Amino acid sequence: MGNAVDLQPLLPTSPEERLILALDGCDGDEALALVEGIPGLCWVKVGLELFIRSGPEIVDQLRCRGFQVFLDLKFHDIPATVAGACRRAARLGAGLLTVHASAGTEAMAMARQAATEAAMEAGLPSPLLLAVTVLTSWRPQPFRQQLAVANPLSAHVEHLARLAARAGLHGCVCAPRDAARLHRQQPAMALVTPGIRLHRIQGDDQARTMTPAAAMAAGSTWLVVGRPVTRSVDPGLAFTQLCQQIATARVPCG
């Protein structure tokens, strides 16, 4: 199954374009005030918390202010339901959408087709559809014990990425520590990595984290960062510091 979307126009070319600010924990007014106070910010992530609190209107409000939106709702259901959800999400104008790779190849392929068709019908650019592999909160031992997956966590990530590529998806969401393997395995796919940290955070619920420079060197396309910016006393400065790290990072070829 081939990709119906040309990735090149959406791919980032500057440090500012590589950072996606996660607006988790904000309500609509807080999110809008926060993003307007960060010079250079291009991408924002609307996840389940903000979407449930503020509804689909928050996507339109952010887009009207010039931001690209990563709508991270991680759809996981039967194929028809996943496709229907992606069809409606694409009409909101988000640039990036997520589905769980564990929904299977049929669900992912149907979701990609539905999102592309819906965006075209609405006169909008087609979103890039991303497959969520294994959440960054999982550590290897609990992953195997609780989910009873025979393969090691890293091998399961690679397996899910292969399913996503077979379904024609445009990229994967993975922990930064998984990015290097996936970049070698699927060099044409975009990799979006949450769990980006400038330093260790006490009580962090993200397990497989990396610094911005290390994640870039591993092959990440976009870096998702939340608390290091949103909980900073100076979010604009924190964003600038992250961009500076990205600007000096060594990026793998290919």
Side-chain angles (χ1 to χ4, degrees), residues 167-251:
L169 265 65
H170 312 109
C172 289
V173 179
C174 64
R177 294 188 188 182
D178 299 322
R181 289 187 300 274
L182 293 196
H183 182 70
R184 290 192 296 268
Q185 175 187 308
Q186 305 289 347
M189 295 186 82
L191 297 179
V192 176
T193 54
I196 302 301
R197 301 287 186 260
L198 284 169
H199 48 76
R200 186 177 298 276
I201 297 175
Q202 187 173 5
D204 199 348
D205 58 355
Q206 302 281 47
R208 303 183 333 274
T209 63
M210 272 186 176
T211 65
M216 288 295 302
S220 297
T221 310
W222 278 284
L223 311 180
V224 181
V225 61
R227 283 165 283 188
V229 173
T230 60
R231 294 187 182 179
S232 171
V233 295
D234 189 338
L237 177 60
F239 179 80
T240 298
Q241 290 173 337
L242 286 161
C243 290
Q244 289 170 345
Q245 281 208 19
I246 292 172
T248 59
R250 297 181 62 184
V251 180

Side-chain angles (χ1 to χ4, degrees), residues 4-5 75 78-92 97 99 106-122 124-127 129 167-170:
V5 175
F75 298 126
I78 62 173
T81 300
V82 172
C86 285
R87 182 176 295 110
R88 284 164 171 72
R91 290 182 176 274
L92 297 176
L97 299 174
V99 299
E106 182 182 1
M108 287 189 283
M110 288 177 60
R112 178 186 58 80
Q113 182 175 354
T116 300
E117 291 175 351
M120 290 179 63
E121 291 167 1
L124 295 166
S126 295
L129 196 60
L169 265 65
H170 312 109

Side-chain angles (χ1 to χ4, degrees), residues 58-111:
I58 190 62
V59 177
D60 187 56
Q61 291 171 332
L62 289 163
R63 290 184 65 242
C64 286
R65 286 163 171 78
F67 296 102
Q68 294 265 32
V69 177
F70 171 23
L71 186 56
D72 185 26
L73 301 182
K74 298 182 177 70
F75 298 126
H76 186 179
D77 211 306
I78 62 173
T81 300
V82 172
C86 285
R87 182 176 295 110
R88 284 164 171 72
R91 290 182 176 274
L92 297 176
L96 300 171
L97 299 174
T98 51
V99 299
H100 268 283
S102 52
T105 52
E106 182 182 1
M108 287 189 283
M110 288 177 60

Side-chain angles (χ1 to χ4, degrees), residues 25-65:
C26 298
D27 63 24
D29 291 339
E30 291 168 344
L32 295 174
L34 175 66
V35 298
E36 289 176 347
I38 302 178
L41 180 64
C42 301
W43 279 92
V44 293
K45 180 176 86 75
V46 174
L48 286 169
E49 287 185 73
L50 179 56
F51 193 81
I52 290 172
R53 292 181 75 173
S54 301
E57 294 79 12
I58 190 62
V59 177
D60 187 56
Q61 291 171 332
L62 289 163
R63 290 184 65 242
C64 286
R65 286 163 171 78

